[in-house]
Amino acid sequence: MIEPDMALAARLFEQLHALSFDGTGITRDTYGAGEQRAHALMADTAQRLGLEIRRDAALNLYLTLPGRHRDKPVVMTGSHLDSVPRGGNYDGAAGVVAGLAVLAGWIRDGAQPDRDVTVMGVRAEESAWFPVSYIGSTSAFGLLSPQALSSRRADTGRTLSEHIGELGGQPEAIARGEAALRPEAIDCFVELHIEQGPVLEGDGHALGVVTGICGSHRYRQAQVKGRYAHSGATPRTHRQDAVVALAALIERLQREWRDLEAAGHELTLTFGQVNTDARQADFSKVPGQVSFCVDMRSRSVDTLRLLDSLLLKTAGELEASHGVRFEWGPVSGSQPAVMDEALQQALRDAALASGVQPRLLPSGAGHDAATFSNRGIPTAMLFVRNANGSHNPDEAMDMDDFASGVRSLGRVLALRAGLAGPHNRSPI
């Protein structure tokens, strides 16, 4: 097979770290300076490799090695380049670096695919900045709702439309639903990504083939409101304690989670933020208000609906028994996605050919691959083992594991793209 350019990959990771280190971790802010620097680095690298470079209205980046028959549906790979605040260097970026390493190896060896192969640098996958899922990939298909452009970034308070426009994008075209990608013009999308949980590391597998991607149902700005009262002068029977009511909700939902798992459901439930009001809460007060968020995830829409109904039913019961009121605020979320079985098998075969026994596993985290899959495009994901989890500065992907992943990705892309070397030798 044609070896990918792993020296290029190592340099890109070093450069990304230098461009993105915030003193604690990696911050590549969505539609901000950090993400912009990462996109510029990938575009500069593509230019040196001689790839075609294109951007769409949402500033997604497309880096293309032309094929012999340019009218055929394109083979696509890639991932996102933004990060959560103070995250790690590999989340998302590994998929873009992997794609460029594969194409760089083909170019070095004078091989040309039968059809175009494109590495996509996706914008705005991380919803930590804007409360919208898959901004870049949904925009690429003309599917982002116009209302999403009015959502505000968590740190700046300014709208998505303003941030896109300032960087040279075209929010008006996004609002009109203008699409840069058409499903019928895409042969497949294969995304390499670090695993963001402990499964591969715990089981001793370097690579994982993803079977499906969980959807989500989220309340980002929920509150429980009770009544502030004197901590010493208010008996238990006269309290409307917001903290106690929320604690009861969390405890009861944990029990519901266990019961649902025992019944065969696959899901996760997280109360990721819990805050009293710093201006009003006090050592000597019964707390009258708590802000919190809820993140429910599953590969089953029915499971998400069931868990949501249990959440709301339990909250209603606690309102009556604790004298409080739950307010849920806007709902956000994403649809589950199933990965293509033929591509899953191709990734398994490619990993085995690279000397690695992969594991099959679902993805609890969301990925842009879900957008492609839900447009009817054959889609697959390859996970690379990563210690210490993700969304933190301690991501620890081993470069040997990554090299195995890139080789496996390269084999699948070569097969789908009909790669031929200067003497029409097989890529495998």
Side-chain angles (χ1 to χ4, degrees):
M1 67 166 288
I2 297 176
E3 282 292 317
D5 190 340
M6 297 310 299
L8 172 65
R11 287 197 303 273
L12 286 174
F13 282 132
E14 290 174 1
Q15 291 172 298
L16 281 168
H17 188 279
L19 290 170
S20 312
F21 185 63
D22 59 18
T24 300
I26 297 299
T27 297
R28 294 192 276 266
D29 50 323
T30 293
Y31 289 114
E35 185 186 52
Q36 191 75 355
R37 285 192 291 265
H39 274 251
L41 173 63
M42 298 305 163
D44 289 345
T45 302
Q47 185 174 38
R48 289 194 296 273
L49 290 172
L51 301 176
E52 292 183 356
I53 300 169
R54 179 172 67 93
R55 294 176 179 86
D56 63 20
L59 300 176
N60 292 302
L61 182 65
Y62 305 92
L63 312 172
T64 299
L65 178 64
R68 291 186 297 276
H69 302 284
R70 306 210 64 184
D71 56 331
K72 291 186 176 182
V74 61
V75 170
M76 295 189 69
T77 187
S79 191
H80 62 99
L81 287 167
D82 60 334
S83 79
V84 299
R86 298 169 299 283
N89 199 36
Y90 304 117
D91 179 4
V96 181
V97 171
L100 286 175
V102 168
L103 296 192
W106 295 0
I107 292 167
R108 178 200 60 222
D109 281 16
Q112 185 181 21
D114 186 56
R115 62 182 73 215
D116 288 4
V117 178
T118 295
V119 178
M120 183 177 178
V122 187
R123 288 278 183 169
E125 190 262 5
E126 298 289 1
S127 59
W129 301 96
F130 294 94
V132 183
S133 297
Y134 309 141
I135 291 171
S137 54
T138 55
S139 295
F141 287 102
L143 299 174
L144 189 73
S145 72
Q147 292 75 25
L149 291 163
S150 298
S151 65
R152 296 185 179 274
R153 210 172 93 163
D155 56 341
T156 67
R158 295 166 57 246
T159 67
L160 175 60
S161 180
E162 290 172 328
H163 276 275
I164 293 174
E166 279 188 359
L167 296 178
Q170 300 172 328
E172 300 86 1
I174 298 170
R176 290 193 298 269
E178 295 184 11
L181 295 178
R182 295 179 296 109
E184 63 272 18
I186 301 172
D187 173 77
C188 67
F189 181 78
V190 185
E191 180 174 2
L192 180 146
H193 203 283
I194 59 169
E195 192 205 0
Q196 296 175 274
V199 176
L200 296 178
E201 179 75 12
D203 287 355
H205 287 83
L207 300 177
V209 176
V210 176
T211 55
I213 299 172
C214 287
S216 63
H217 189 81
R218 294 164 169 167
Y219 298 100
R220 296 171 180 265
Q221 301 172 27
Q223 293 185 330
V224 53
K225 294 183 177 179
R227 184 174 66 181
Y228 289 100
H230 193 289
S231 64
T234 311
R236 178 186 60 80
T237 53
H238 289 70
R239 294 186 176 209
Q240 296 168 255
D241 191 321
V243 166
V244 171
L246 180 58
L249 178 72
I250 293 172
E251 194 278 331
R252 286 180 58 176
L253 263 294
Q254 290 293 306
R255 282 191 276 132
E256 296 286 6
W257 183 3
R258 288 193 293 270
D259 291 345
L260 287 170
E261 284 187 328
H265 292 270
E266 178 191 273
L267 69 151
T268 58
L269 169 67
T270 307
F271 291 82
Q273 294 173 315
V274 175
N275 301 292
T276 53
D277 187 336
R279 297 168 299 177
Q280 295 193 67
D282 188 76
F283 174 79
S284 60
K285 285 184 181 181
V286 176
Q289 179 177 318
V290 181
S291 301
F292 65 101
C293 66
V294 188
D295 181 5
M296 298 173 271
R297 303 194 190 205
S298 176
R299 285 190 291 167
S300 166
V301 172
D302 290 340
T303 296
L304 288 174
R305 289 173 179 161
L306 176 57
L307 184 58
D308 186 46
S309 69
L310 290 169
L311 173 73
L312 299 179
K313 176 176 178 290
T314 303
E317 294 169 356
L318 293 171
E319 286 180 335
S321 61
H322 287 71
V324 299
R325 184 176 75 256
F326 284 88
E327 297 180 356
W328 299 103
V331 179
S332 63
S334 59
Q335 290 295 309
V338 176
M339 300 293 97
D340 182 78
E341 290 187 4
L343 282 173
Q344 288 184 54
Q345 185 62 54
L347 284 172
R348 290 198 296 270
D349 293 343
L352 289 170
S354 298
V356 176
Q357 176 70 54
R359 172 180 170 147
L360 293 176
L361 75 168
S363 173
H367 300 283
D368 289 303
T371 304
F372 285 80
S373 174
N374 286 328
R375 296 301 291 156
I377 297 163
T379 301
M381 286 197 75
L382 183 66
F383 276 171
V384 179
R385 174 171 55 188
N386 162 59
N388 305 325
S390 183
H391 286 193
N392 68 70
D394 299 321
E395 288 176 357
M397 180 186 70
D398 183 86
M399 285 301 290
D400 288 339
D401 291 346
F402 180 64
S404 295
V406 178
R407 291 188 186 97
S408 301
L409 174 70
R411 288 176 184 272
V412 173
L413 297 180
L415 285 171
R416 298 292 296 211
L419 185 72
H423 303 293
N424 292 320
R425 62 178 180 270
S426 167
I428 304 298

